[in-house]
Amino acid sequence: MRKFVVLTLVLSFILAPLAALPAVAQEEEKRWDGADDLPVNPLPCGDEPAPEPEPKEYDGGQPVNPPDLAGKEITLVDVPKLIGIGYFAATTKGQQEAAEELGNVKVTTDAPTEANIDEQITFIDNYITRGVDGILFAANDPVAITPVLKKALEQGIRVVGYDANSLPEGREWFVNQAEFNGIAKALLDSLAAEKGEDAKFGIVTSTFTTPNQARWIAEMWAYAKECHPDMVWLETLEAQEDYNLSFEQANTLIDKYGDELDGLFGMTSVATPAAADAVTQAGLCGEVAVVGLATPNAMKPFVNSGCVKSVVLWNPVDLGYAAVYVMRQVVDGNFKPGDTEVEAGRLGKLKVVNGSEVLLGPPFIYTAENINDFDF
Amino acid sequence: MATRETSLKKSSPALFQQVQGVLRTQEGVLLIITIISVLILATQTDKFLTVKNLLNQGRLMTEIGLIALPMTFIIITGGIDLSVGSIVGLSAIMLGYSWHNLGFPLEVAIAIALGIGALAGAINGLIITRFRVPPLIATLATLAFYRGLAEGIAQARSVTGYPAWFFDLGQRETLGIPNQLYFLVIGIVISAILLSRTTFGRSLYAIGNNELAARFSGIPVNRNKVLIYAFSGFMSGFAGYVLVSRVSTTRSDMGSGWELDAIAAVVLGGTSITGGTGSILGTTIGLVLIQLLKNGLALSGVTGDATIVVIGSVLILSTLINIVVQRRLRGV
């Protein structure tokens, strides 16, 4: 009898939340809202030019009594989401190139080996204690990282973000590799070109709340509704930033939807090659198109074999390069709140958007014609 | 120096022997290793051995510490709880969800989070005792289950925008000491008393040494086991609350991998993984040693990837040293 009661208790605890899940699940449209309550801003369809963005007031944070280091040698630390993956190795390379060019910047990259919010916070905290002149970061979570960045600003340390933003008050500037709506447009237009306007697709992403991926998906949702209304959004699966998991999730989509599936989007630099690998191994090249964000080296085999037609990305080397230049200009007093552009070495002048963001440029699409020219 | 030592020996031989006795225990050896590590690290950088840095480290290790305390109890009984990291995530999500989506006052939401943690822990205990599932398997299953639940409830949303008072626990300090550190210290004291000064505590050792014998001596083995797993769940829930307050956001992936950090602190602290021996003091020293090593190495300019290698080596080395020392002392 008692055993029965306990069993019922355990089972009901296990089943009750499962029964409640459908009620919890929001309607689809609301679900893909970027997990941050920000508005979406889809670009016009086709080749129509994008409207000029409305000017927005500077909304970044400012360091408290930063030492005057204009023209002097500065020591920077770079804390990306994680180390040991090609993408952040490429941003590091760009940073070193900029540092070498400038001659008066020393930058070291140090971060956890897994994309983990509390470990990243600990890394930054330790560097604040150690004392650096500036911090470059790519956030694992926009909100969670902000308190520790504010602590850095309070101690007079300069803070510039790149790749993945914090809340605006946590940094002075953020170097935005590509606007979210631009990436969304490039991805969907590429799939439409390959598979037609009625393509059915699945997505493999990192997590539903990772800042970049969540925003891209939100913009994709908005842009698809406007410009590719007949496309069918089958399912979105999480796979961290883990190759094996991404491979498994891509296989899940292939097995689950079979012939229905026309395309797979990879939202991370590991999910895209993993999806391409899964499609190749399933012998479905040509049947299932793979479009996604990835670094060229990881995609070369698939692009050269013809299995993948287009890889969307910016140039991460340029991104790291720009971050260091922006930091130097900030320290030298050449780039202040209210400015509309900033000089960034070989990249020329970069535009300021969204109040306190520096835009790297439009996304770049790697194809069989150009991918072999890149090595990162 | 030598004369002072002898005079000390003469004046209070009891005290000296006591000190000597303490230093010969596992905890004593570990304490010496910790002190040596701290001294070495302090020579590498002047930023390490400062009150401000040490207190800040206390802030950062609180969450793992809170989990490591009940983990010590559990490992002493010969069990293990792998689901703690997932319970951290589940409680954190329940905190944010019941406040943001269900509209409860934040105080109630905190209570719900702690309650869910305790309930999740109790479920572990019931599965282990009622259905005789080995703890490793039971909590491995709930590790996946609770995490899945957290992700399902979160529906990809992180909850932010908590009122300012909510951050008091995680981000502010009282009398110069981080607020959450008080709770860790209270937790350590209570757990230590519970384990070493009560019949309940002694019963845990008895269970770990010989469960059958413990049963025949009339110890309520199952009840005590459910209690410690529930305590473990409760403390994980509390750690989740502390973490949410510290990082000011709620995510479903919070606490992932923490079970290993907590277990590392416990076993480094001399608790036998097969049960029967261990202490809260040991766990506390283990916890502090790992945290200070991570921090000290980072401050001395060792990069993250090299740091984990060094930490792994220190874990193995200090365990080996302890085994050798204990063997010598016992004259085996």
Side-chain angles (χ1 to χ4, degrees), chain A residues 312-327:
Chain A
V312 177
L313 199 71
W314 49 93
N315 189 330
V317 179
D318 286 348
L319 180 62
Y321 178 90
V324 169
Y325 258 90
V326 167
M327 178 65 93

Side-chain angles (χ1 to χ4, degrees), chain A residues 2 11 19-20 27 35 42 78 84 103 132 159 187 211 220 226 246 250 277 281 307 326 356 358 367 375:
Chain A
R2 195 140 159 233
L11 276 183
E27 48 189 301
D78 162 43
V132 287
V159 182
L187 286 172
M220 283 168 75
E226 288 292 318
S246 301
D277 200 1
Q281 289 192 22
C307 201
V326 167
S356 54
V358 175
T367 61
D375 184 27

Side-chain angles (χ1 to χ4, degrees), chain A residues 79-82 88 115-117 120 124 136-146 149 160-167 174 209-213 241, chain B residues 251:
Chain A
V79 187
K81 290 183 186 184
L82 73 167
F88 285 115
N116 180 313
I117 52 164
Q120 187 179 34
I124 296 176
L136 303 170
F137 72 89
N140 279 315
D141 182 288
V143 180
I145 201 172
T146 302
L149 293 179
V160 170
Y162 67 95
D163 182 70
N165 208 347
S166 67
L167 297 179
F174 170 68
T209 50
T210 319
N212 287 346
Q213 278 76 13
E241 302 217 8
Chain B
R251 291 165 53 109

Side-chain angles (χ1 to χ4, degrees), chain A residues 2-3 7 13-14 17 24 31 33 35 37 110 118 121 123 125-126 129-130 140-141 143-144 147 151 208-209, chain B residues 47 53 56-57 97 119 130-131 145 149 152 155-157 160 247-249 251 258 295 298-299 301 303-304:
Chain A
R2 195 140 159 233
K3 214 166 194 169
L7 183 69
F13 179 79
I14 289 172
V24 169
R31 234 184 109 176
D33 59 359
D37 301 313
D110 192 13
D118 47 303
I121 292 168
F123 268 83
D125 211 329
N126 279 335
T129 308
R130 222 173 122 185
N140 279 315
D141 182 288
V143 180
K151 179 174 165 186
F208 297 139
T209 50
Chain B
K47 302 279 165 58
N53 181 51
N56 197 26
Q57 294 316 306
Y97 187 76
L119 184 62
R130 297 290 156 182
F131 309 124
F145 179 72
L149 215 54
Q155 283 298 310
R157 304 305 310 262
T160 58
V247 304
S248 55
T249 182
R251 291 165 53 109
W258 282 13
N295 168 246
L299 293 185
T303 52

